[in-house]
Amino acid sequence: MFSIRLASILVLVSAALATPLSAKRQPWDQDLINLYVRDANVSLNNYAGLQSMSGFDNFRGSGNFDGSQNAQVTVIEEQQTVCHTEQIEIIQQKLVVLQEIAKRIITEQICEVETQTIVLEQFSSGLTVFQKDISRTTTKQVGYDKNVAGLVGNLTNSDGSLSTSDLGFNGTSVGSNTVVPSGSNWNNTQGPEAVQKALSAAQAAANATSAS
């Protein structure tokens, strides 16, 4: 294994030295970093010695930080779920509620800024994976785990405080009861370009906001 890794490193170094400067490739040491990241299952268990990070990888497993490695099993429903167009402001309201609940969970139930940062990154990276699903750049169908989504009512207690109960599932099981709503306007001919244009427009709006 060591000899294989050493050979890979030598190949990368040789390629970097042989590449003309006009090619503007990244320094070869960045290639080595990328090689390490691809090959390694980075563990965040007990990160920085923090008790709040104890068992972090038990949820999704090392090497599955964003949940993209989860298996997907679609559910055949007796009555198929069909998407329908709702007023955009209502959609935005619902998503902001989920956003603020996420903020509440992170700030009320995590005290270390390091753990807050890592958990927030895991949360956002999971949504990035879903964006790739919508773009049809993954092998996953565009849907949601109905069992996990059905637990939203268990996030708070009857008095409105945040629940501290175990919700009874593991991160690796997310996707094993996937519902795929029908009715999307996606088609394989125009869909990829349409999604890319929409994503570019949204990113431009976000960049303009952050720059102001």
Side-chain angles (χ1 to χ4, degrees):
M1 178 63 71
F2 176 79
S3 60
I4 294 175
R5 175 57 61 84
L6 179 59
S8 299
I9 292 174
L10 291 175
V11 169
L12 287 171
V13 173
S14 299
L17 294 176
T19 302
L21 293 177
S22 58
K24 295 183 179 180
R25 61 176 278 114
Q26 292 181 332
W28 65 267
D29 58 333
Q30 183 62 51
D31 287 327
L32 295 181
I33 293 172
N34 293 339
L35 177 65
Y36 171 77
V37 171
R38 286 196 302 270
D39 289 350
N41 288 333
V42 179
S43 174
L44 292 174
N45 278 340
N46 303 307
Y47 174 82
L50 294 171
Q51 180 62 32
S52 57
M53 288 295 293
S54 176
F56 179 87
D57 292 333
N58 295 345
F59 187 63
R60 283 180 172 167
S62 178
N64 189 32
F65 182 79
D66 58 8
S68 60
Q69 303 305 307
N70 286 10
Q72 185 184 65
V73 179
T74 56
V75 176
I76 306 300
E77 300 178 295
E78 292 185 8
Q79 184 173 355
Q80 188 176 24
T81 301
V82 180
C83 71
H84 64 280
T85 300
E86 187 57 80
Q87 184 180 345
I88 190 64
E89 188 173 356
I90 293 176
I91 302 299
Q92 291 170 312
Q93 288 173 346
K94 291 178 179 179
L95 293 178
V96 167
V97 168
L98 296 178
Q99 170 187 289
E100 296 306 306
I101 284 291
K103 290 180 183 180
R104 183 182 179 188
I105 292 171
I106 290 172
T107 55
E108 286 191 15
Q109 298 189 322
I110 303 173
C111 298
E112 295 81 12
V113 293
E114 298 92 337
T115 305
Q116 289 177 343
T117 300
I118 291 172
V119 168
L120 178 58
E121 181 61 27
Q122 185 174 54
F123 177 69
S124 61
S125 66
L127 293 177
T128 299
V129 170
F130 182 57
Q131 174 62 63
K132 293 178 181 178
D133 293 343
I134 291 177
S135 301
R136 273 68 172 182
T137 57
T138 71
T139 59
K140 302 286 180 66
Q141 297 193 63
V142 183
Y144 60 92
D145 189 304
K146 70 171 188 176
N147 288 4
V148 176
L151 296 172
V152 65
N154 296 351
L155 297 180
T156 57
N157 299 312
S158 58
D159 62 357
S161 61
L162 288 176
S163 170
T164 58
S165 301
D166 187 330
L167 297 179
F169 71 96
N170 189 277
T172 57
S173 67
V174 178
S176 58
N177 293 278
T178 299
V179 170
V180 181
S182 63
S184 167
N185 70 339
W186 171 269
N187 67 73
N188 293 332
T189 302
Q190 299 175 332
E193 182 180 1
V195 168
Q196 186 55 53
K197 285 183 177 179
L199 180 59
S200 296
Q203 290 173 337
N207 291 337
T209 302
S210 61
S212 60

